[in-house]
Amino acid sequence: MTIETDITQLGADGDGIAHAPDGGRLFIPGALPGERVLADMQDPRAARLVRVLRPSPDRVDPPCPLFGLCGGCALQHFARPATLAWKEALVRHALERAGFAAPPAPATHQSPPGSRRRIDLAVRRLPQGVSIGLHARRGDVIDLTACPVLDPALFALIAGLRGLMQSLGALRRTGDAQVNLLDSGPDLLLATDGPLAAADRAKLADFARAHHVPRIAWRPAGSTQSPETASQTAPVRHDLSGVAVTPPPGAFLQPTRQGEAAIVAAILAGLPRRLGRKDTIIELYAGCGTLSFALARHAKVLAFEGHPDAYAALHRAAAGTRVIAERRDLNRQPVMAQHLAQASAVVLDPPYAGAGAQMAQIIAGRPPCIIYVSCNPQALARDVAGLKEAGYTLDGLTVIDQFLWSTETEAVCVFTAPRRPRRPGR
């Protein structure tokens, strides 16, 4: 059934939302708020965009020829300023749901095209060759022949990587390739559905030398075990706030340098004004030290990280700095309230699902300053609702769009505890 309808808003996946004939919500990929469209009903809640009858003033031509096929971007047809405003609204609404009725006007950052420095690629062996790229929305792998999001140096590696994977006996049908663009060059982690034979290792070494890839690591597809280094031609290093770190293969990096700088700046601006040598910052979910070494310029940092390889990298790099690294699974063994209460500030950058049990301990500890870095507005709303109940105020907000043209957004929120009443006689 073909219907003519108005788009009222964007959904969480970037789909336009209209009123369905039965009164429910109808999701139409490719439609934008304020548009009137012709759509083909595919089921009671989903429709295919047939034609835009009245376009939004924020509609633009997508810059990538693969847009609509590749699942990496959802919003290339939406002007970048409008996308940032939409993401800002997502964060503000999340904070309002948590009880912070009037969030402060946020500072904002949007990373430019061609700045993405990490990607997780799917690899498929097909009768006509190897396809390497991103999945279509709920579909097969789309061969990545263009990408305006990626750093050009990272995109340039993909053509050679396609040939490499074609030659590997270890790739029977499926695999993946994670690439981080470090200061030392591309860092590659491969996973394949077959074992890595000696001939394959020789091919990896040749590829590494030809493409200036200091390290190639490997592990079986579907495995979560620490990968083995299959080829290393040069030292691996990455600078984090002036400290040289050797990240493990597949390590988490902020997607862009510009986004990382915006996050660090927002955190440092949110710290208590007067921090001395006796003050301590507790950092949770520290990773390899993206925030740790910047924080250590202002106070001693107790940095907690649960992933063994990330912790090992942080621990090695922390020697001689004011960062003390401790390995701890914060889901199973959260830092307790009495410890958190002694910190001048608590900084946390939890995973997508949020801080879970750790958040209850933070709230109970009532540290004077809490800086929460969020990559999921829904988890943010759930986690910080308890802060509002405990009397915290939201004194700083920064919204960061470094997942350009996607629906993902990040925020840095600065919370301040209520002042404790003075005791009589003081």
Side-chain angles (χ1 to χ4, degrees):
M1 179 176 70
T2 300
I3 62 168
E4 190 174 316
T5 186
D6 293 312
I7 307 302
T8 59
Q9 64 187 100
L10 277 184
D13 291 333
D15 298 337
I17 299 178
H19 294 295
D22 65 0
R25 298 205 299 174
L26 181 66
F27 294 88
I28 308 175
L32 295 174
E35 294 187 330
R36 186 161 184 82
V37 303
L38 195 66
D40 180 25
M41 293 277 293
Q42 296 176 315
D43 64 50
R45 294 291 169 262
R48 179 181 62 85
L49 179 64
V50 176
R51 186 165 66 253
V52 177
L53 303 175
R54 186 186 66 232
S56 163
D58 294 318
R59 178 173 285 276
V60 297
D61 292 331
C64 181
L66 297 180
F67 180 68
L69 298 174
C70 172
C73 293
L75 296 171
Q76 285 191 14
H77 60 307
F78 202 23
R80 286 168 55 201
T83 304
L84 181 59
W86 176 68
K87 294 186 178 187
E88 176 187 331
L90 290 179
V91 174
R92 290 177 63 86
H93 291 161
L95 292 166
E96 289 167 359
R97 289 198 305 273
F100 295 93
T108 59
H109 164 82
Q110 189 171 52
S111 295
S115 61
R116 183 73 181 262
R117 60 178 177 177
R118 64 179 174 90
I119 191 168
D120 190 350
L121 298 160
V123 182
R124 297 291 181 271
R125 187 181 290 281
L126 305 171
Q128 66 271 27
V130 164
S131 178
I132 180 166
L134 303 176
H135 284 275
R137 187 171 178 176
R138 304 182 185 93
D140 294 333
V141 176
I142 300 299
D143 206 37
L144 204 62
T145 55
C147 186
V149 174
L150 286 180
D151 184 299
L154 192 55
F155 179 74
L157 189 67
I158 294 177
L161 189 57
R162 190 179 289 110
L164 171 68
M165 300 305 289
Q166 170 75 26
S167 73
L168 293 183
L171 181 70
R172 294 168 176 169
R173 294 182 59 190
T174 64
D176 59 71
Q178 297 178 47
V179 193
N180 278 332
L181 191 57
L182 305 180
D183 290 336
S184 54
D187 191 45
L188 181 58
L189 171 58
L190 301 178
T192 60
D193 55 354
L196 202 63
D200 288 335
R201 294 175 188 273
K203 292 174 182 176
L204 294 181
D206 290 342
F207 177 86
R209 285 189 290 268
H211 294 272
H212 307 289
V213 179
R215 178 177 64 186
I216 302 177
W218 173 87
R219 65 184 170 196
S223 171
T224 57
Q225 69 186 40
S226 294
E228 63 173 277
T229 298
S231 168
Q232 183 150 2
T233 59
V236 174
R237 59 172 180 78
H238 194 66
D239 183 280
L240 294 175
S241 297
V243 176
V245 180
T246 302
F252 171 81
L253 288 182
Q254 292 295 339
T256 70
R257 293 181 184 275
Q258 299 91 333
E260 178 183 298
I263 290 172
V264 170
I267 290 171
L268 297 184
L271 290 175
R273 293 283 181 90
R274 297 178 180 177
L275 288 174
R277 298 193 63 82
K278 293 183 179 180
D279 287 293
T280 297
I281 298 169
I282 291 181
E283 183 194 4
L284 307 171
Y285 313 98
C288 298
T290 299
L291 309 177
S292 312
F293 301 111
L295 292 170
R297 295 175 180 174
H298 299 267
K300 180 174 71 173
V301 178
L302 299 182
F304 293 87
E305 171 55 39
H307 191 283
D309 296 339
Y311 160 75
L314 174 61
H315 179 70
R316 288 192 299 268
T321 74
R322 299 172 74 190
V323 175
I324 300 172
E326 180 174 328
R327 181 182 170 189
R328 185 182 298 204
D329 184 336
L330 297 174
N331 291 325
R332 299 182 179 181
Q333 189 186 7
V335 179
M336 301 306 289
Q338 59 267 30
H339 192 183
L340 295 161
Q342 300 171 20
S344 299
V346 171
V347 177
L348 66 156
D349 185 0
Y352 190 81
Q358 181 61 76
M359 201 67 205
Q361 295 299 321
I362 294 172
I363 295 167
R366 296 174 66 87
C369 175
I370 299 169
I371 304 179
Y372 187 121
V373 184
S374 166
C375 62
N376 179 355
Q378 292 184 346
L380 173 67
R382 184 171 58 248
D383 280 350
V384 306
L387 293 179
K388 179 62 177 178
E389 295 174 3
Y392 279 81
T393 57
L394 175 60
D395 295 323
L397 175 61
T398 302
V399 175
I400 297 106
D401 179 15
Q402 56 175 338
F403 292 93
L404 192 62
W405 293 311
S406 81
T407 58
E408 304 298 328
T409 189
E410 294 180 285
V412 177
C413 305
V414 180
F415 299 95
T416 304
R419 291 185 178 181
R420 296 174 181 174
R422 293 186 177 183
R423 296 180 182 178
R426 291 195 174 187

